[in-house]
Amino acid sequence: MYETLSKFAQTWGLAWFVGMFVVAVVYALWPSNKAKFREAAYLPLEDKEPGDE
């Protein structure tokens, strides 16, 4: 029983994580998200303090 459960978890767990990785990469590279990620990338370089508008 343990071996069967372990084999199932290893196989489908790997498939699950590969699938989630692919979804994350597609989301990050989707053209409509480009501006959002560019703004987030330059956020540490801004001089204003949090709360200053």
Side-chain angles (χ1 to χ4, degrees):
M1 177 69 180
Y2 174 77
E3 289 84 15
T4 305
L5 187 59
S6 175
K7 187 72 165 175
F8 176 80
Q10 289 173 2
T11 303
W12 291 107
L14 176 63
W16 170 258
F17 284 116
V18 167
M20 293 304 293
F21 176 76
V22 169
V23 167
V25 168
V26 168
Y27 175 76
L29 298 178
W30 202 259
S32 63
N33 292 330
K34 186 175 182 177
K36 185 187 328 182
F37 284 114
R38 180 166 294 172
E39 181 182 337
Y42 286 107
L43 198 58
L45 304 175
E46 292 182 1
D47 287 334
K48 62 183 181 179
E49 294 292 322
D52 292 346
E53 300 292 325

